[in-house]
Amino acid sequence: MRFLLTDEQREFGRSLDALLTAADTPAVLRAWAAGDRGPGRALWGRLADAGVFALAVPEAYGGVGPLPVEAAVACVELGRHAVPGPVAETLAAGVLLAGAGGPVAEEWLPGIASGAAVVSLTLEGYGPYAPDADAADAVFTVSGDELRLAPGPGEPSASADPARRLFRPEPGGAPVAKGPALRAAARAAGDWAAFATAALALGCGEELLRATVAYVKQRTQFGVPVGSFQAVKHRLADTLLGLEFARPLLYGAAVELASEVSRPGAEAGSAEGSPGAGAGSAEGSPGAGAAAAAAKVTAGEAGYAAARTALQLHGAIGYTEELDLAWWLRRARPLRDAWGTPSACRARVLAG
């Protein structure tokens, strides 16, 4: 098996890196956390123009997907630059709505693909919180075999990351899709949410490591850079090993998700009253779910370990909000626990 990115996939990642480097994402993050969504929505639109959100939307609805390998490439870059907004949730919503089909898919999927619609969601088994629901155009909730559009974002809850606010969506809202097939679509959406969050966590950890290596080359003690001390070298090497070990699991999960899409009979059936639902979408399987969970726990733990290393080696300056790196430090722990805590992901892997 060829387990390498193609030239086109690598170029896609480089183009996103260049776009986000020019966008000054720390300033966008600060504005988003302060309640100014303008810069974040503008950046969201540029990412959509690059095709990021179309990767989870079938061609029948204006997308190019589902393409999980390319989605992994994109999410690693978005995590590296700490792009604000419900990225994983919007991608997962694309999978969920494609599986639901019918009017709700026709209404929202083209907007997701084009970047006109920012979406958050909650799924059973993944906690009650919808990230950035106050900034989303729609918040979907799944309960049993019913998909509902929440009437409002609900009340905010405390979050370790001020640029990733958590909300409990308001209860109620009329069902927009229902039926046994919705359960399969929700399972696939949960796998995609965990998978995308793993990629975001990996990118976050990579940026934390990069910034820390650069810092220890500059900071000096006893007349020499602290990066020359053996204990510092070992800590950085352990951090790098954790991140590099997570990378093949992430792309292995992408391959598994892609194989579910291409496998005969993998398309989700329609929800009640939804003819032609599930075009190009997978139902979610134990194999894909276990692979996504393995990637999530490994990348999440590696990203959080990178944050602990970065904080220790930066010293007291790492605690200051004036340091841009503080935004990555505060994001690593929530990403580790979102869409599957480490214990839940390990249990999923063991269950197969």
Side-chain angles (χ1 to χ4, degrees):
M1 173 183 290
R2 178 180 172 84
F3 207 65
L4 295 171
L5 296 177
T6 65
D7 291 341
E8 291 80 5
Q9 289 164 342
R10 288 194 292 269
E11 181 57 34
F12 179 49
R14 287 192 291 266
S15 67
L16 290 176
D17 179 49
L19 184 158
L20 293 168
T21 299
D24 188 16
T25 52
V28 176
L29 271 170
R30 294 178 189 278
W32 189 273
D36 180 6
R37 313 298 188 195
R41 290 298 294 254
L43 177 58
W44 193 277
R46 292 198 292 275
L47 290 170
D49 290 341
V52 170
F53 303 108
L55 295 172
V57 176
E59 293 182 13
Y61 297 102
V64 297
L67 295 174
V69 176
E70 286 76 6
V73 172
C75 286
V76 168
E77 294 301 329
L78 270 60
R80 194 195 317 276
H81 291 272
V83 171
V87 173
E89 292 73 23
T90 297
L91 292 171
V95 174
L96 174 66
L97 296 178
V104 66
E106 294 171 1
E107 179 180 0
W108 288 101
L109 285 177
I112 290 175
S114 69
V118 175
V119 177
S120 192
L121 82 162
T122 64
L123 298 172
E124 283 187 324
Y126 291 98
Y129 300 111
D132 294 307
D134 61 330
D137 299 297
V139 179
F140 291 99
T141 64
V142 175
S143 178
D145 59 358
E146 286 190 341
L147 172 65
R148 296 175 182 267
L149 181 61
E155 293 297 319
S157 299
S159 174
D161 182 357
R164 189 178 182 275
R165 302 178 69 195
L166 301 176
F167 291 81
R168 287 179 177 265
E170 293 180 7
V176 293
K178 57 184 178 179
L182 191 61
R183 293 181 182 270
R187 285 196 300 271
D191 293 344
W192 266 75
F195 161 71
T197 304
L200 293 170
L202 178 60
C204 179
E206 287 180 347
E207 175 58 19
L208 286 162
L209 179 60
R210 183 207 63 78
T212 305
V213 170
Y215 181 72
V216 299
K217 288 180 179 179
Q218 299 173 356
R219 181 185 174 191
T220 60
Q221 285 185 352
F222 310 111
V224 296
V226 297
S228 65
F229 300 154
Q230 188 175 44
V232 173
K233 291 179 180 179
H234 285 182
R235 185 67 183 267
L236 292 169
D238 289 343
T239 302
L240 176 62
L241 284 174
L243 294 169
E244 289 303 318
F245 184 70
R247 193 184 313 280
L249 290 176
L250 174 67
Y251 286 108
V255 170
E256 186 68 29
L257 287 168
S259 69
E260 287 301 307
V261 175
S262 60
R263 187 171 299 155
E267 292 186 359
S270 357
E272 180 179 313
S274 306
S281 64
E283 293 181 350
S285 73
K296 174 62 174 55
V297 65
T298 310
E301 294 278 37
Y304 182 52
R308 292 172 64 88
T309 297
L311 186 58
Q312 180 176 6
L313 298 185
H314 275 81
I317 193 175
Y319 286 95
T320 62
E321 289 193 0
E322 289 76 13
L323 181 72
D324 287 342
L325 195 70
W327 295 95
W328 281 257
L329 289 170
R330 299 178 74 167
R331 178 154 293 196
R333 177 68 179 268
L335 288 177
R336 187 196 73 167
D337 295 337
W339 295 106
T341 63
S343 59
C345 288
R346 289 188 178 97
R348 182 75 183 273
V349 173
L350 290 174

